[in-house]
Amino acid sequence: MVYALEAGDLFNLDHPGEFEETIISKCVDSYISISANRNSSSLPSSLEPSFHQLTTAFPANANGSASITAASLTSPTTPFTQSTLPSKSLLSAPKAYDSQVAPFAGGVANGLTPTADARSSETQRRLYEVIEELFEKCFKEGRYRQVIGIAIEASNLEVVRRAILRASNKDQTSDAHGKTTTAAGKGLDLIEYVLDLCMTVVQQRGPRNRLLQLLLDLLTQIPNPDYFAIARCVVYLNEHRLASQILRQLVNAGDERALAVAYQISFDLFDNATQEFLGKVRDALPFVGEEQDPVGSRPAPAAQTEDGEGDQETDRLLTAPEDRPEADSRADSRAEAESLSDDQRKAYGATRNILRGTKTIELNLEFLYRNNRTDLSVLNKLKDSLEARNSIFHNAVTFANAFMNSGTTSDIFFRNNLEWLGKAVNWSKFTATAALGVIHRGNVGQGQRLLEPYLPRDSVAAGSVYSQGGSLYALGLIYANHGSRVLDYLRDQFNRADDEIVQHGGALGLGVAGMATGSDAIYEELKARMYADSAVNGEAVGIAMGLVMLGTGSIKALEDMIRYAHDTQHEKIVRGLSMGMALIMFGRQEAADELIHGLLEDPDPTLRYGGIMTLALAYAGSSSNKAVRKLLHVAVSDVSDDVRRVAVMSLGFILFRKPNSVPGMVELLSESYNPHVRYGAAMALGISCAGSGLDEAIDLLEPMVKDPTDFVRQGALIALAMILMEQNEVMNPKVATVRKTLQRVIADRHEDAMAKFGCALALGIIDAGGRNCTIGLQTQTGNIHMAGVVGMAVFTQYWYWFPLTHFLSLSFMPTAIVGLDPELDVPRFQFHSATRPSLFDYPPEQAIKADEAPEKVATAVLSTTMQAKRRAQRKEKLQRRESMDLDPTPTTPKTVHGPPDDKMDTDEDVVLDADGKGDGEKTEGKDGEKEGASTESGKKRTEKEKVGYEMENMSRVVPAQLKFISFDEERYQPVKKATGGVIMLLDTKPSEPKDLLEMKSKKTVDRAAAPQTFEDQVQSAYGARGAAGGAAEAAGVLTAVDEDEEGGEEAEVPREFEYFSDGEGEAE
């Protein structure tokens, strides 16, 4: 390569040949190495993320810990990102000089003479000329993506900028010559391409943020920018001010399309951003008089330390919210709102409501309600097969019912099985009450009123403390990640509660509702409860602290939690704090390296477990090579089975954006001698491949269903259900086999309880949300679904505590296309799916006979009995023949004198068919009818299976179906490409009357005369507890005080009695 470069003009790039191609390839590799090293070393310090150091000292490494030095790090104190592990990707590790570049990349420091130094600089100059010539050739041929790929590998953002601008200028030139291409169309395509590379290829957070900032600058300079791409960038960069500016600009434009785009961006922001981010965006918009967020739903100002400095954040994610106080900002917003026109006030009010999440939650609730396809026969079979007096089985049925009806508001199973529900005691009652929160998740308008019979009250007869704690947990699940309305109530109940069980439920509900608010006030209240050192509520409080401070990376919170984790003696508290620390570092990547390092070197296996969860959540969805190698190392080296299990399982969190790579990675681990490693491999497949129907993953899981260890079978069944969510037999023929396997395991009396528990969960997961939900760890627009990842991570802790299973409902994502017109109404319109209807149709309901379960063992039949039966049959047959031969009545042919209708065709046909003999004409007639029927059914089937059909608005559209969707409607056209979820539509015929869909969920809630509806029963349940009704009786069952409950009414003391022994009676 050096000789070719020094040849000057004699080396011709345009000459095709193997030699030229090889030299060019070596030139590109050398350019990437030199440029990447130069750009990383010359980067301004202001652009590099600065991470605050934890002041808490971790214990030194001890025997039994997964030593970080064993993972080929330079020293125990080397940061995680500076490991010397070999990297397979130039994007996953710091760039270094290539050995082939050494002859001209160095200088005197490398031992070269001045002549060699001058020669190397000349060769390097020629190298850059060759690369520039190559770039120009690509620009002329329109191959911009190749240039951008090389530039991103080389960390040369200037080349990326130049390529996008050249593409935009070329499009504008084409437009000037009369072509019908949109302005900057190629440039926008390139920006979208780079944006996808940022999320899938670039693994380190620093380079990704710099690239996103570049895209943001370019997007704002384009005359007609792609606002949806800007919205994706501002969420990742936490640029809430820019988001509010874009919304202001679009609303003030007054154009119908601009207003629809503003609404669409608001919907996308709600799906992708945190509550803290959305709150800041709302505060920057004019205040038009809607309900304010209560105190506690916003993060409090940073606490002052002893030195007078605030609790600084680790990077830009938690910078100061505004340069001026929040109260002044709201006052200015109200003053600005007074000068707006009526249309603008209406538009800003709608935008704020969308950012608050009210509209999205309402539409999801309506979709799940009207499309509910829950198969109650499966639940009834499950209930009949599992003994309710066993708490694990009662919990299993409760979870299956909650998952199947998640978000549908249908609790008919509870109301129809009150006797079964009454067998719930203690924590089973807690779980059953919390299941109401999963079933009614998203019913924010009625949530608190629905749970009123169960919530804590000031009266003496307040009911079971387990139902009270479960109701607070349920309230948090209803308002999950949207808890501004109930945070004050939950805080009040949590602080007033004296019973540890109520505190446990209150902490979980407070954490779920206040997720990612970053509220210091809530955090301090939770921390005060934690210092009580109660094992009952300690685990829940630790998790809640992490949920409230989710993704903030707060150093103060981490130091408090680490310190108390070393002080307490309760393993449950340590486990809760470990999970809380992992949640605080969600999405922080390199900023979490120091914490990961310290936790993995701790001698306590529970804290090492927390270190693995921190690694999984900090690098969730990043596909980081170093993180994967670290997990694989711990999976085979740590002495704790719990740590090894979670290390393998965490591979699913790291790689859920690349599910195809996971089966090959865990194939050997799935055959490990250690059952905990096998369980972790099964769960990793389920987490990463959820809803994909990946055949390779199913092939690995099928043998694990027959594993000799019960909890491995449990994990395999759960993972299979996750993978086959929203799949039918046409998409994946193995769906029927898996469903039959689940039914077989449930009906098997000899199956272990652990496997049956996992099977019950699997039955609920595979039909989640009335068969309308899938597990979504990333949003429809490609961003990481924060609530989904967090819900899945906490769900995996069901291994230690069953009530945490309900967190999986946070991962359930409705799969629908919901179109809204500019007035935010739901019009009746159709869109086209270019597939066969059966390909993405609902799976058929399972036909389960009432007398099928439980199966009875066949009675043994002796051989002598069979011989006697055969002799009796032969004797009876001979007697029939003799009687037919000796019949004295002569037979004469029948003559028909009447019309042909007088013949008894039906009776004759039945008798003749039974004997196997019959009239040939009749048989031919029947065969002809059968052939005709089969022909007609075949025609119907052919007509049904025609490719392409129309779908109604608010229909289920699974992710794999989106690429076949097109909008051929003349009147309504989408403002962006269909990605699922809420889509704003432009009305091309606004003067014509609109045909709107009826909101069935609202109509049902408002109908007070329907006795079978849960919401309507609750209205009178509190005042008339003894009234007959499904919901009232269910409330009475769950709130009843258990007989063996602490603090319950004691039995009456028996009266005194006299006792005489036998000896005393004889003496008398």
Side-chain angles (χ1 to χ4, degrees):
M1 183 193 68
V2 174
Y3 291 147
L5 291 175
E6 293 187 351
D9 297 337
L10 298 178
F11 176 58
N12 187 7
L13 294 178
D14 298 330
H15 186 274
E18 184 178 358
F19 173 78
E20 286 77 10
E21 292 178 358
T22 304
I23 296 301
I24 291 174
S25 177
K26 293 295 182 181
C27 288
V28 172
D29 293 341
S30 302
Y31 169 79
I32 290 174
S33 299
I34 296 174
S35 181
N37 186 74
R38 176 179 298 174
N39 291 330
S40 60
S41 61
S42 61
L43 193 69
S45 59
S46 59
L47 297 180
E48 285 291 338
S50 58
F51 306 127
H52 287 247
Q53 301 296 312
L54 288 170
T55 59
T56 304
F58 286 93
N61 191 10
N63 293 333
S65 65
S67 174
I68 208 164
T69 58
S72 301
L73 295 182
T74 55
S75 70
T77 58
T78 303
F80 184 58
T81 49
Q82 298 178 12
S83 62
T84 57
L85 292 172
S87 174
K88 295 181 181 178
S89 172
L90 292 172
L91 294 172
S92 61
K95 310 300 186 297
Y97 284 98
D98 191 88
S99 59
Q100 298 173 346
V101 195
F104 61 90
V108 180
N110 291 335
L112 299 178
T113 61
T115 304
D117 184 32
R119 176 183 174 183
S120 65
S121 61
E122 180 65 22
T123 306
Q124 189 170 338
R125 183 189 62 79
R126 176 58 183 163
L127 173 67
Y128 278 92
E129 291 178 355
V130 170
I131 296 299
E132 286 296 327
E133 186 177 351
L134 183 65
F135 286 169
E136 287 297 328
K137 183 179 179 181
C138 291
F139 288 152
K140 291 179 181 179
E141 297 176 357
R143 297 183 296 170
Y144 297 98
R145 295 193 175 190
Q146 285 85 337
V147 177
I148 287 178
I150 295 174
I152 292 178
E153 285 275 2
S155 300
N156 195 335
L157 301 185
E158 191 58 37
V159 175
V160 177
R161 180 192 298 271
R162 182 151 55 98
I164 295 176
L165 292 178
R166 286 282 294 268
S168 302
N169 294 335
K170 185 175 181 180
D171 282 342
Q172 293 176 4
T173 304
S174 301
D175 290 342
H177 288 79
K179 293 185 179 181
T180 59
T181 57
T182 58
K186 189 68 176 178
L188 291 178
D189 291 342
L190 279 180
I191 290 177
E192 188 69 25
Y193 173 69
V194 176
L195 194 56
D196 292 336
L197 290 181
C198 287
M199 306 309 156
T200 57
V201 178
V202 183
Q203 297 179 358
Q204 291 183 326
R205 190 177 183 184
R208 180 169 64 245
N209 287 348
R210 292 193 293 272
L211 193 55
L212 288 172
Q213 189 63 49
L214 170 65
L215 295 180
L216 201 57
D217 296 340
L218 291 174
L219 285 168
T220 55
Q221 296 174 6
I222 296 177
N224 296 318
D226 184 358
Y227 290 105
F228 305 116
I230 294 177
R232 294 180 64 185
C233 291
V234 298
V235 171
Y236 269 98
L237 296 174
N238 201 44
E239 294 286 351
H240 56 88
R241 296 179 183 176
L242 182 58
S244 59
Q245 291 175 6
I246 293 174
L247 293 177
R248 282 174 173 269
Q249 177 182 348
L250 291 171
V251 172
N252 293 334
D255 182 35
E256 181 179 347
R257 180 178 183 83
L259 190 59
V261 172
Y263 290 161
Q264 185 67 65
I265 291 177
S266 300
F267 281 116
D268 293 345
L269 288 177
F270 175 75
D271 289 337
N272 297 289
T274 64
Q275 292 192 63
E276 180 188 13
F277 182 92
L278 295 173
K280 293 177 180 178
V281 175
R282 289 199 305 269
D283 288 341
L285 297 178
F287 184 80
V288 291
E290 84 275 18
E291 180 185 357
Q292 299 185 34
D293 290 336
V295 179
S297 63
R298 297 295 179 80
Q304 295 293 319
T305 61
E306 295 180 358
D307 299 334
E309 299 179 356
D311 182 21
Q312 300 285 331
E313 314 303 340
T314 55
D315 65 357
R316 300 176 61 186
L317 184 63
L318 284 179
T319 51
E322 298 288 345
D323 293 333
R324 52 186 178 176
E326 183 178 343
D328 296 343
S329 176
R330 290 196 175 188
D332 294 345
S333 297
R334 291 190 180 92
E336 181 184 359
E338 295 177 357
S339 60
L340 298 175
S341 63
D342 293 340
D343 292 340
Q344 289 178 330
R345 290 172 60 87
K346 180 180 178 182
Y348 277 118
T351 303
R352 292 176 66 95
N353 285 332
I354 294 173
L355 291 173
R356 194 181 300 276
T358 306
K359 193 66 178 179
T360 302
I361 294 174
E362 174 189 333
L363 293 172
N364 287 336
L365 186 71
E366 173 66 23
F367 162 71
L368 293 175
Y369 178 83
R370 68 191 300 136
N371 295 281
N372 184 14
R373 302 294 173 88
T374 301
D375 192 352
L376 287 178
S377 62
V378 177
L379 278 174
N380 292 327
K381 172 69 177 299
L382 185 63
K383 174 184 68 69
D384 296 336
S385 302
L386 300 181
E387 178 55 51
R389 286 177 293 184
N390 192 336
S391 62
I392 184 175
F393 291 153
H394 198 285
N395 284 331
V397 179
T398 298
F399 292 135
N401 174 46
F403 291 160
M404 284 188 186
N405 295 286
S406 175
T408 64
T409 70
S410 173
D411 59 347
I412 186 173
F413 178 77
F414 277 164
R415 292 187 280 111
N416 292 344
N417 297 277
L418 294 179
E419 182 180 356
W420 169 85
L421 191 62
K423 296 179 181 180
V425 294
N426 299 336
W427 288 105
S428 296
K429 185 173 293 185
F430 178 94
T431 303
T433 310
L436 296 175
V438 179
I439 294 173
H440 294 276
R441 180 170 179 249
N443 196 356
V444 294
Q446 307 286 334
Q448 195 164 351
R449 186 169 61 86
L450 289 169
L451 295 173
E452 189 175 4
Y454 311 94
L455 292 170
R457 297 188 296 273
D458 296 332
S459 61
V460 178
S464 172
V465 292
Y466 292 98
S467 64
Q468 294 178 33
S471 64
L472 294 177
Y473 184 16
L475 189 62
L477 290 171
I478 290 177
Y479 292 87
N481 200 25
H482 185 71
S484 59
R485 297 185 180 183
V486 295
L487 276 179
D488 279 345
Y489 176 80
L490 286 171
R491 290 175 63 186
D492 180 63
Q493 293 296 332
F494 176 72
N495 293 325
R496 293 170 54 187
D498 296 328
D499 192 275
E500 294 177 342
I501 298 169
V502 181
Q503 294 173 6
H504 182 97
L508 291 176
L510 193 56
V512 177
M515 185 187 301
T517 57
S519 173
D520 286 335
I522 300 177
Y523 169 78
E524 292 296 332
E525 293 172 358
L526 291 168
K527 184 175 70 172
R529 288 289 186 181
M530 180 187 66
Y531 286 158
D533 202 44
S534 169
V536 176
N537 60 27
E539 183 174 13
V541 170
I543 294 175
M545 292 165 65
L547 289 172
V548 172
M549 307 300 289
L550 178 64
T552 62
S554 172
I555 297 297
K556 178 179 180 297
L558 290 173
E559 291 176 350
D560 293 340
M561 299 169 79
I562 293 170
R563 188 179 303 109
Y564 194 75
H566 288 123
D567 292 342
T568 185
Q569 301 297 319
H570 294 291
E571 182 181 351
K572 290 177 67 66
I573 297 179
V574 177
R575 186 180 299 114
L577 292 173
S578 299
M579 196 66 203
M581 287 186 283
L583 294 170
I584 290 177
M585 282 299 180
F586 174 80
R588 309 293 290 179
Q589 296 194 3
E590 292 87 354
D593 291 346
E594 184 188 4
L595 178 63
I596 296 171
H597 170 89
L599 291 175
L600 289 182
E601 286 208 340
D602 198 282
D604 187 352
T606 306
L607 287 177
R608 296 204 304 276
Y609 184 101
I612 295 297
M613 289 304 302
T614 304
L615 175 60
L617 293 182
Y619 288 87
S622 66
S623 304
S624 172
N625 293 334
K626 289 198 307 295
V628 169
R629 285 196 294 272
K630 181 61 183 173
L631 291 174
L632 292 175
H633 171 76
V634 175
V636 297
S637 63
D638 201 280
V639 297
S640 172
D641 286 335
D642 288 345
V643 179
R644 298 180 68 178
R645 181 182 68 249
V646 73
V648 181
M649 184 171 59
S650 297
L651 292 171
F653 290 101
I654 304 293
L655 298 171
F656 66 77
R657 279 180 166 168
K658 297 181 179 178
N660 294 327
S661 63
V662 179
M665 187 173 298
V666 302
E667 182 176 3
L668 293 178
L669 295 172
S670 65
E671 301 174 0
S672 171
Y673 72 93
N674 191 326
H676 292 268
V677 174
R678 298 200 299 271
Y679 172 89
M683 293 299 292
L685 290 170
I687 293 170
S688 59
C689 305
S692 65
L694 194 63
D695 291 333
E696 294 83 355
I698 298 175
D699 292 339
L700 288 179
L701 289 170
E702 283 181 335
M704 301 177 72
V705 175
K706 303 177 182 178
D707 194 275
T709 307
D710 53 357
F711 61 79
V712 177
R713 299 197 297 273
Q714 177 191 92
L717 293 171
I718 294 175
L720 280 173
M722 290 180 177
I723 294 173
L724 294 176
M725 293 179 72
E726 292 192 322
Q727 303 275 320
N728 57 26
E729 296 184 32
V730 180
M731 296 176 65
N732 196 322
K734 294 184 179 180
V735 172
T737 305
V738 172
R739 288 184 178 272
K740 289 180 181 178
T741 301
L742 296 177
Q743 294 293 337
R744 176 184 57 79
V745 172
I746 284 297
D748 188 358
R749 292 182 176 181
H750 304 287
E751 186 60 81
D752 293 322
M754 295 285 286
K756 285 191 174 184
F757 179 81
C759 186
L761 291 185
L763 286 171
I765 292 171
I766 199 170
D767 291 335
R771 300 183 175 182
N772 293 296
C773 289
T774 187
I775 290 180
L777 301 185
Q778 54 183 337
T779 62
Q780 303 280 7
T781 55
N783 291 13
I784 293 178
H785 185 211
M786 179 193 68
V789 176
V790 170
M792 178 63 73
V794 182
F795 160 74
T796 59
Q797 306 307 303
Y798 82 88
W799 181 279
Y800 303 103
W801 189 235
F802 282 160
L804 297 179
T805 308
H806 286 310
F807 269 83
L808 184 62
S809 62
L810 302 182
S811 302
F812 294 157
M813 180 181 295
T815 54
I817 287 184
V818 182
L820 298 181
D821 63 8
E823 300 295 326
L824 297 182
D825 294 325
V826 185
R828 190 182 301 276
F829 81 102
Q830 293 182 334
F831 51 90
H832 184 73
S833 177
T835 60
R836 292 177 287 114
S838 63
L839 183 58
F840 299 108
D841 198 7
Y842 289 96
E845 293 188 0
Q846 298 184 13
I848 301 179
K849 297 180 181 179
D851 57 346
E852 181 179 348
E855 296 181 357
K856 293 184 178 180
V857 179
T859 305
V861 180
L862 299 177
S863 58
T864 56
T865 306
M866 295 298 297
Q867 291 177 1
K869 287 183 178 180
R870 283 194 292 268
R871 285 195 299 267
Q873 290 175 356
R874 285 196 298 267
K875 185 177 180 180
E876 184 180 358
K877 188 180 295 184
L878 289 173
Q879 291 177 353
R880 285 201 304 268
R881 289 180 180 177
E882 292 175 358
S883 62
M884 292 174 66
D885 294 339
L886 298 176
D887 190 358
T889 306
T891 58
T892 57
K894 258 185 201 175
T895 58
V896 179
H897 300 286
D901 294 341
D902 292 344
K903 294 177 62 178
M904 298 179 64
D905 295 338
T906 304
D907 295 341
E908 290 180 1
D909 291 345
V910 172
V911 174
L912 291 176
D913 290 344
D915 292 340
K917 303 175 183 178
D919 190 355
E921 294 180 1
K922 296 291 183 182
T923 305
E924 290 178 3
K926 285 192 173 184
D927 292 343
E929 291 176 2
K930 291 181 180 178
E931 290 177 2
S934 61
T935 305
E936 291 177 2
S937 63
K939 290 180 179 179
K940 290 180 180 179
R941 190 180 301 110
T942 304
E943 293 176 0
K944 181 181 179 181
E945 291 302 309
K946 287 183 179 179
V947 177
Y949 64 102
E950 303 299 321
M951 303 182 67
E952 295 291 337
N953 190 14
M954 203 170 275
S955 297
R956 187 187 82 155
V957 179
V958 300
Q961 190 178 3
L962 287 172
K963 56 186 177 183
F964 301 104
I965 297 298
S966 60
F967 289 82
D968 301 330
E969 179 81 15
E970 295 182 358
R971 179 170 183 177
Y972 296 104
Q973 292 296 323
V975 297
K976 72 167 187 176
K977 181 181 178 181
T979 57
V982 180
I983 297 180
M984 292 301 303
L985 305 171
L986 292 176
D987 190 357
T988 59
K989 301 177 181 178
S991 58
E992 297 183 2
K994 296 188 297 185
D995 186 10
L996 302 179
L997 287 177
E998 182 183 13
M999 297 291 102
K1000 296 183 179 180
S1001 60
K1002 284 186 176 181
K1003 181 178 179 181
T1004 304
V1005 171
D1006 295 337
R1007 193 171 54 214
Q1012 69 273 18
T1013 305
F1014 178 80
E1015 291 85 346
D1016 301 327
Q1017 290 289 340
V1018 170
Q1019 296 180 10
S1020 59
Y1022 182 68
R1025 183 67 57 84
E1033 293 180 7
V1037 168
L1038 288 177
T1039 57
V1041 180
D1042 299 329
E1043 294 180 359
D1044 57 347
E1045 183 180 343
E1046 294 182 5
E1049 298 179 0
E1050 297 182 357
E1052 182 181 357
V1053 179
R1055 295 187 298 271
E1056 296 182 0
F1057 60 91
E1058 298 179 355
Y1059 176 78
F1060 300 97
S1061 63
D1062 295 339
E1064 294 177 353
E1066 293 177 357
E1068 295 177 355

